């Protein structure tokens, strides 16, 4: 209990009380899901749900689930009515509740889609002949066994359709250290050491006395990984990581970051920012005044105008 109490006090120091209580009281759902909803947003949300459904169960799981909803009233009417009611509630709620973790809201809906798959499978086994029942079980079992292969090729299929990380709002880590489609679409993380390589390489290659500006809410991956190597592996204590943990993130004043960047540049310290986000770093203004270059997995801010820096051979981001 004491841990949760400490966490509550930390949140109250960082967020307004309305933001902390809002999700519990339901005011966020009323404000964001009901008041500001448009048909276009609902359409995008519903399409996102369908994409998640295919990702979660694969094409065969979707087809068998649809079949289960169709035959459910005949196979098991009591279970079907309960499953349909709960599935509709969770799905509609998820479509309306457009939050960053919307995929997590849909997980409850997926539970009842699993019931539909079960009803569809049970009905298929009851209508096929004994000779074909074994083939049906083997075929459905093979589709389950093939899911790791399906997840392995899915990112490439999505990319070949012209979709990318930006299409789904997947944030970039640093200058692109993470393949977002592979990270989120393939649950197999065996041997996945990208965060370790990113953190170790970034700190190892940072110039002495560097300052890394990584606001915790927007660039949480960068902030946490680098702090891990400093706090746990005691690597590069001369590098300062600025995260502004107690600043309210949704109304973050980018001027705080800009003033810190300007001050450190005047002190002749190498300055890096974790991303080119305007809300947190006012990157658009920085690019006009200084030269920003991808360097060491992050974005380094060199003092001086882009024109003068270009004359020195720096390829500034425009």
């Amino acid at each position: 209990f004491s841990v949760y109490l400490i966490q509550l006090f930390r949140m109250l120091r960082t967020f307004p009380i309305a933001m902390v209580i809002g999700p519990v009281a339901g005011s966020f759902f009323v404000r964001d899901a009901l008041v500001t909803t448009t048909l276009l947003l609902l359409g995008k949300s519903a399409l996102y749900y369908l994409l998640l459904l295919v990702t979660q169960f694969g094409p065969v799981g979707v087809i068998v689930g649809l079949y289960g909803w169709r035959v459910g009233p005949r196979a098991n009417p009591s279970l079907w009515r309960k499953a349909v009611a709960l599935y509709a509630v969770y799905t509609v709620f998820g479509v309306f509740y457009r939050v960053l973790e919307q995929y997590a809201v849909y997980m409850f809906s997926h539970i009842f889609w699993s019931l539909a798959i079960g009803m569809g499978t049970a009905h298929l086994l009851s209508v096929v002949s004994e000779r074909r029942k074994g083939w049906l079980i083997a075929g459905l079992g093979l589709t389950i066994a093939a899911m790791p292969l399906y997840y392995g090729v899915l990112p490439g299929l999505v990319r070949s359709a012209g979709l990318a990380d930006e299409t789904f709002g997947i944030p970039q880590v640093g200058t692109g250290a993470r393949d977002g489609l592979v990270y989120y679409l393939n649950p197999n993380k065996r041997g996945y050491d990208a965060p370790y390589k990113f953190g170790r390489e970034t700190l190892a290659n940072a110039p002495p006395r560097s300052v890394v500006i990584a606001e915790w809410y927007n660039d949480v991956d960068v902030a946490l990984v680098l702090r891990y190597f400093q706090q746990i592996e005691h690597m590069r204590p001369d590098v300062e990581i600025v995260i502004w943990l107690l600043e309210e993130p949704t109304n973050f004043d980018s001027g705080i970051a800009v003033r810190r960047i300007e001050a450190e540049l005047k002190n002749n310290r190498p300055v890096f920012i974790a991303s080119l986000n305007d809300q947190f770093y006012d990157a658009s203004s920085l690019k006009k005044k200084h030269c920003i270059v991808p360097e060491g997995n992050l974005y380094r801010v060199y003092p001086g105008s882009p024109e003068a820096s270009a004359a020195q051979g720096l390829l500034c981001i425009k």
Side-chain angles (χ1 to χ4, degrees), residues 95-116:
V95 169
F96 274 87
Y97 203 26
R98 304 178 314 278
V99 293
L100 185 63
E101 298 83 6
Q102 192 175 20
Y103 61 89
V105 179
Y106 285 136
M107 291 174 63
F108 297 97
S109 171
H110 293 335
I111 293 174
F112 297 99
W113 192 274
S114 300
L115 283 177

Side-chain angles (χ1 to χ4, degrees), residues 28-288:
F28 273 24
F29 179 76
V30 173
R31 184 194 68 188
D32 297 337
L34 300 181
V35 176
T36 62
T37 293
T38 65
L39 290 177
L40 179 60
L41 290 175
L42 283 179
K44 289 182 177 179
S45 190
L47 180 60
Y48 179 58
Y49 170 74
L50 293 177
L51 291 173
L52 288 177
L53 194 66
V54 176
T55 302
Q56 180 72 28
F57 297 103
V60 175
V62 173
I63 293 171
V64 177
L66 289 172
Y67 181 74
W69 291 127
R70 180 173 177 271
V71 301
R74 289 177 286 167
N76 195 326
S78 177
L79 177 62
W80 180 84
R81 286 193 297 269
K82 295 174 183 177
V84 165
L86 291 169
Y87 172 74
V89 168
Y90 284 117
T91 303
V92 172
F93 176 79
V95 169
F96 274 87
Y97 203 26
R98 304 178 314 278
V99 293
L100 185 63
E101 298 83 6
Q102 192 175 20
Y103 61 89
V105 179
Y106 285 136
M107 291 174 63
F108 297 97
S109 171
H110 293 335
I111 293 174
F112 297 99
W113 192 274
S114 300
L115 283 177
I117 294 176
M119 290 187 292
T121 302
H123 188 267
L124 285 172
L125 292 174
S126 67
V127 297
V128 300
S129 64
E130 289 296 326
R131 186 180 65 178
R132 294 181 178 179
K133 188 175 295 186
W135 288 105
L136 176 61
I137 294 175
L140 293 176
L142 183 61
T143 62
I144 297 175
M147 287 301 289
L149 178 62
Y150 168 71
Y151 286 128
V153 301
L154 185 59
L157 294 175
V158 172
R159 194 174 286 109
S160 64
L163 305 178
D165 291 6
E166 297 78 13
T167 309
F168 302 98
I170 299 175
Q172 178 176 288
V173 176
T175 56
R178 178 181 68 188
D179 187 328
L181 291 179
V182 172
Y183 183 79
Y184 283 103
L185 292 180
N186 190 352
N188 179 22
K189 297 298 184 288
R190 181 179 177 85
Y192 184 80
D193 60 352
Y196 188 86
K197 288 183 177 179
F198 169 79
R200 180 165 287 279
E201 291 176 1
T202 301
L203 285 179
N205 296 327
R209 300 177 58 251
S210 292
V211 178
V212 177
I213 309 292
E215 197 281 332
W216 72 271
Y217 185 77
N218 182 72
D219 295 298
V220 63
D221 301 280
V222 174
L224 292 183
V225 169
L226 295 185
R227 282 179 65 84
Y228 163 81
F229 278 95
Q230 276 199 329
Q231 299 296 322
I232 305 302
E233 300 203 4
H234 308 291
M235 185 178 179
R236 294 300 302 273
D238 63 301
V239 176
E240 184 177 0
I241 304 170
V242 183
I243 64 176
W244 292 293
L245 188 61
L246 299 181
E247 291 291 335
E248 200 275 294
T250 55
N251 296 310
F252 185 81
D253 179 13
S254 60
I256 298 175
V258 172
R259 288 190 291 272
R260 181 60 183 269
I261 292 170
E262 296 289 355
E264 299 298 351
L265 290 176
K266 290 181 180 178
N267 291 331
N268 296 318
R269 298 185 69 181
V271 177
F272 296 84
I273 55 178
S275 68
L276 299 178
N277 188 284
D278 276 332
Q279 178 183 350
F280 292 93
Y281 311 117
D282 196 10
S284 296
S285 298
L286 285 175
K287 286 187 288 187
K288 295 177 181 178

